[in-house]
Amino acid sequence: MLRPLIMATVAATLLAGCSGGDSKSTDQPSASDGTPSASSTPTGPDLATFDPPKAFAPVSALAQGNTGQSNMFSIAAGMVGEASLYALRSGLTARTLSANSWEVPASDVPTTTTNDFIAPLAVQVNGKEAVATAYTQIVQGSGTQKSHGQVTVQWIDPSEGDVLATAVADLSTLLGPGNSGADFYRPAYDAATGQIAVGVTVSSPDRSAKIREFTVFADPATKKATTIPDIRAAGVLNGTIVAAKGQVGEGVSTNQIVQVDALTGAVKKTVPVPAINYLSGQGSGGKHAYFTGTGYVKDHYISSFYAVDIATGAVVESKLPDSKERTDGGACFSDHVAAVVCNRPINGQKGIVGFDDSTGQVAWKYDATANRIVPEVTAIYNGMVYGTADEQAILLDAKTGQDVAVPSATPSEGATPTEGSTPTEGSTPTDSGAPTYGSGNLGGWGDTSLIYGEPKSPAMVSKYGSVYLLDPGNKAPRNTEKVLVVSKAVG
């Protein structure tokens, strides 16, 4: 029996020190003797750390409004250190659990527009925690010059929002003028160094581009970005990329797994997988890159996971049962320590697979025939898997796949996450002013009135807390696109 993940409610004492809507940073006015005046300072909840956390208490619901372009299908939540992150094509908005806020735009040049972005990544830069993100962009032309594409990668201090490094890949030479990157594939990253490798599809309005996809490699140490044509990155480690190469589709037999030098693009090793018609990178662990592959053979489909040692290129294939139906999907989540867990249909049934990243071997797996509810994994952090089963948030041990008991908690008096108004047809949001990017109006810190329904499984977790996105209910300000629910770790 799966156990629900407890989302404890917030006691009144927890919020006593919160600002109740002041979205300014934590700069403190000084008293006459030069010491900070605590009574006039907006502060967040008292912080504790749990590694990994098993229970959370919601402390704020932050409403993000329209930013001048539609973001309804381009919104992501993140949690790096104390910083809860609201990611959009327009940039990152953050509020830390210490009640500091910051914003970093995707670009501060009005003639540069953004096509796509990657969700925030938790990495290290010079041994310190950092947020990494990337954007595909179009730089408008002027005069007789055509527009051109670029990919911008940023590494940001999660506490203060300082940009630690920026790397820009100009796509003019690779794609030609007038062309750009369109959408990102699932990114791969080296958490210890902050290096990122991510595949990108090509937008070519006049069809002049010679390639359909490429990978961008970016390194915060050198602040440089390079491009490698015709590959889709699935893993990166110390300047080496493992990627998929070849077309996908019924009857295709050109798929390969390649090991590539990130700086030169030189292929070190190639492993053909001709029986696989669909080969997708699902991201990287600490040591391995992970792929899912499906191929049609006679009257059935074959499916496999491929775990590739990034340093050596050695491949471990884990076959799944044959199926009469194609098994798409298979997003994998890595704690970049020792465990990788993937959502993946097994023999036509919803399934889940756990890997030992030290070997690339399957450690455990099950589907709906195992007399267990198969959860949908949403996040992983230091050996703990966070997911949803039967609309309940649950915890699993990433190494064994077994249910994890959560600490008991007694809900406090006052508002709970199940209170508040759910979205109803025809309801009108309160016209209290739409928070907009750059306005500093991020919603009241400590205000949980926008939360409704059962708690959701986290989209991202740190030792301080977690976040998830919620559709706006009828208490949300007008034009709210999503509500970011921020929780502190309590157990």
Side-chain angles (χ1 to χ4, degrees), residues 441-469:
N441 183 9
L442 305 179
W445 185 253
D447 178 12
T448 57
S449 64
L450 299 183
I451 305 175
Y452 61 86
E454 293 298 322
K456 290 187 175 183
S457 178
M460 196 170 181
V461 176
S462 78
K463 64 183 179 181
Y464 293 99
S466 66
V467 291
Y468 65 83
L469 290 174

Side-chain angles (χ1 to χ4, degrees), residues 318-372:
S318 300
K319 294 183 178 180
L320 296 176
D322 294 351
S323 174
K324 293 293 184 181
E325 300 176 2
R326 201 177 94 196
T327 53
D328 291 325
C332 296
F333 298 80
S334 172
D335 64 1
H336 285 261
V337 179
V340 172
V341 178
C342 306
N343 299 312
R344 180 67 170 174
I346 302 174
N347 200 19
Q349 302 278 347
K350 185 177 179 181
I352 184 171
V353 183
F355 291 88
D356 178 352
D357 189 51
S358 63
T359 64
Q361 299 280 355
V362 172
W364 55 271
K365 68 176 184 290
Y366 68 90
D367 61 19
T369 65
N371 200 29
R372 295 180 68 185

Side-chain angles (χ1 to χ4, degrees), residues 12-385:
T13 55
L14 178 66
L15 301 178
C18 297
S19 67
D22 190 345
S23 61
K24 297 179 181 179
S25 70
T26 52
D27 293 339
Q28 299 182 357
S30 298
S32 57
D33 60 357
T35 59
S37 174
S39 61
S40 59
T41 302
T43 59
D46 293 335
L47 296 182
T49 60
F50 298 87
D51 200 2
K54 300 177 183 178
F56 304 95
V59 294
S60 190
L62 309 178
Q64 178 66 54
N66 189 285
T67 62
Q69 58 179 311
S70 175
N71 291 293
M72 191 58 71
F73 300 104
S74 298
I75 298 175
M79 187 83 185
V80 179
E82 294 183 38
S84 59
L85 302 163
Y86 202 111
L88 305 162
R89 283 197 293 262
S90 47
L92 280 178
T93 298
R95 186 76 184 228
T96 73
L97 288 171
S98 299
N100 185 28
S101 64
W102 53 262
E103 296 171 333
V104 176
S107 173
D108 54 8
V109 179
T111 54
T112 298
T113 58
T114 299
N115 289 332
D116 196 15
F117 68 96
I118 64 173
L121 304 174
V123 300
Q124 298 279 320
V125 173
N126 296 326
K128 296 183 179 180
E129 201 164 41
V131 183
T133 191
Y135 305 91
T136 59
Q137 297 174 322
I138 300 174
V139 180
Q140 296 177 12
S142 61
T144 62
Q145 300 300 310
K146 290 185 177 181
S147 64
H148 70 273
Q150 66 182 25
V151 174
T152 300
V153 183
Q154 296 175 336
W155 294 266
I156 302 165
D157 174 7
S159 298
E160 301 296 333
D162 297 328
V163 178
L164 305 175
T166 300
V168 180
D170 188 319
L171 306 180
S172 299
T173 302
L174 180 69
L175 303 181
N179 302 317
S180 65
D183 299 322
F184 284 117
Y185 289 99
R186 189 178 179 90
Y189 62 103
D190 183 347
T193 65
Q195 293 177 349
I196 295 174
V198 58
V200 187
T201 62
V202 172
S203 173
S204 181
D206 61 2
R207 300 186 179 181
S208 61
K210 305 300 183 183
I211 61 174
R212 296 182 178 180
E213 58 196 9
F214 61 95
T215 282
V216 170
F217 168 76
D219 187 351
T222 62
K223 300 181 182 179
K224 293 182 178 180
T226 58
T227 58
I228 308 171
D230 298 320
I231 66 170
R232 308 180 295 276
V236 61
L237 185 67
N238 295 326
T240 296
I241 294 172
V242 169
K245 186 174 184 179
Q247 296 181 1
V248 295
E250 297 292 334
V252 170
S253 59
T254 61
N255 279 296
Q256 302 172 337
I257 296 172
V258 292
Q259 182 196 39
V260 180
D261 183 283
L263 294 179
T264 66
V267 176
K268 299 179 180 180
K269 187 173 183 178
T270 299
V271 180
V273 283
I276 296 301
N277 308 134
Y278 300 88
L279 183 66
S280 301
Q282 301 300 335
S284 59
K287 182 178 180 182
H288 290 82
Y290 291 83
F291 299 83
T292 55
T294 299
Y296 184 75
V297 180
K298 294 182 179 179
D299 61 347
H300 65 277
Y301 286 93
I302 59 173
S303 297
S304 291
F305 278 103
Y306 299 93
V308 184
D309 188 303
I310 301 173
T312 68
V315 178
V316 176
E317 181 180 5
S318 300
K319 294 183 178 180
L320 296 176
D322 294 351
S323 174
K324 293 293 184 181
E325 300 176 2
R326 201 177 94 196
T327 53
D328 291 325
C332 296
F333 298 80
S334 172
D335 64 1
H336 285 261
V337 179
V340 172
V341 178
C342 306
N343 299 312
R344 180 67 170 174
I346 302 174
N347 200 19
Q349 302 278 347
K350 185 177 179 181
I352 184 171
V353 183
F355 291 88
D356 178 352
D357 189 51
S358 63
T359 64
Q361 299 280 355
V362 172
W364 55 271
K365 68 176 184 290
Y366 68 90
D367 61 19
T369 65
N371 200 29
R372 295 180 68 185
I373 302 170
V374 180
E376 186 75 17
V377 177
T378 62
I380 185 172
Y381 181 78
N382 281 6
M384 192 66 62
V385 178

